Amino acid sequence: MNFVFAEPIGLTDKDKSDFAAEMQLQNNAVTFFDTVPSSQDELLDRALTADVLVVSNYPVSEQVVMGAQNLKHIVVAFTGTDHVAQSACAQRGVLISNAAGYSTQAVAELTIAMALDLLRKVTPADAVTRSLGGRNGFLGLELQGKTFGIVGMGLIGERVALLAKAFGCRVIAWSRTVKAIDGVEFVSFDDVLSQADILSLHLPLTPQTKGLIGALELAKMKPSAILINTARALVVNTNALADALHEGIIAGAAVDIYEKEPPLDADHPLLFAPNTLLLPHIGFATHEAIALRSGIVLQNIRGWLSGEPQNVVG
């Protein structure tokens, strides 16, 4: 078998050497690439002889899936897999596994940090201080006592709920599956929109969730509410969100995920929207999460080799 890590996923040098030695004992070859492919053509070149292809969030097109004739398994070092040509994989019988759960704590903590930043105006206050200004009547808001609305109650949504409760929030949620979670009130979609002071998105991108938050949904939110998106960019209509911020329909937004990986295009509408906190997709980016992810990826490969695949998507 030939295992190809087509982009860096955060493995240490020791991780690489230990895994390569382990695979060599089983007559398997391992190739590690230390740069991100520059194009789908380059990704195909790297994957051409791969039985197992490992990527993080670099797109894997139909061209690659169909062109890599030996391909049997794609291991995604990420939670979402919508950047992989899944229909082509199904057509060819290529298995897809992910690293679900590796960034649960990291994303949940960043969600709370983003909410606090917007409510307490941390980033604007930093800018004022650096420009040699003073407080000048700066007044923020406390998280305690606010209604924290969560859309999508998977692992990350649950962890956010736990943290929000610790801050003294009332936590409400809307999700496809209603769960019995202590201190979380499941409500209708319209109610989570209209009641939330902080609305945080934690659901995957599917045909059903694409464009879930648009102009009509934003208009149902409180004018004082803030929106946080650490899920998937296309769950929100970006132009509608920018318009809502310009028009004061909602008070602010914090975003860590975009239609493409940053750097953003210079004309991206959120760059010009007021009361925004824009981060370059760092929700998963902690030392702890990357170490956990590395372990999950290697275990996914070992499980597949032993005939017991795990974390299979679809």
Side-chain angles (χ1 to χ4, degrees), residues 67-98:
Q69 291 298 307
N70 293 338
L71 192 60
K72 303 173 182 65
H73 188 195
I74 297 176
V75 180
V76 179
F78 216 64
T79 300
T81 58
D82 49 276
H83 56 297
V84 176
Q86 297 186 34
S87 59
C89 288
Q91 183 178 338
R92 283 209 50 214
V94 174
L95 199 68
I96 304 172
S97 62
N98 70 355

Side-chain angles (χ1 to χ4, degrees), residues 266-283:
D267 61 351
H268 194 285
L270 290 180
L271 292 174
F272 309 98
N275 303 321
T276 54
L277 174 64
L278 305 180
L279 301 180
H281 196 190
I282 62 169

Side-chain angles (χ1 to χ4, degrees), residues 140-248:
L141 293 164
E142 296 176 7
L143 191 52
Q144 179 174 296
K146 300 297 184 292
T147 296
F148 204 112
I150 299 173
V151 176
M153 191 54 78
L155 291 173
I156 295 174
E158 287 189 36
R159 190 65 56 86
V160 171
L162 180 68
L163 296 178
K165 287 190 295 178
F167 274 88
C169 295
R170 173 196 175 211
V171 179
I172 60 175
W174 175 82
S175 185
R176 183 179 60 182
T177 303
V178 175
K179 303 178 179 179
I181 302 174
D182 185 47
V184 177
E185 178 187 354
F186 280 80
V187 298
S188 70
F189 185 55
D190 280 353
D191 282 346
V192 79
L193 292 175
S194 63
Q195 295 181 28
D197 297 303
I198 301 100
L199 185 69
S200 192
L201 308 181
H202 300 286
L203 69 180
L205 178 63
T206 67
Q208 292 73 38
T209 63
K210 184 177 182 180
L212 182 69
I213 305 294
L216 291 176
E217 291 73 27
L218 291 163
K220 294 177 181 178
M221 295 175 63
K222 297 178 180 181
S224 58
I226 61 174
L227 176 72
I228 300 174
N229 189 9
T230 59
R232 281 289 182 263
L234 294 180
V235 171
V236 178
N237 182 313
T238 298
N239 289 319
L241 175 58
D243 289 344
L245 290 162
H246 282 293
E247 296 167 16

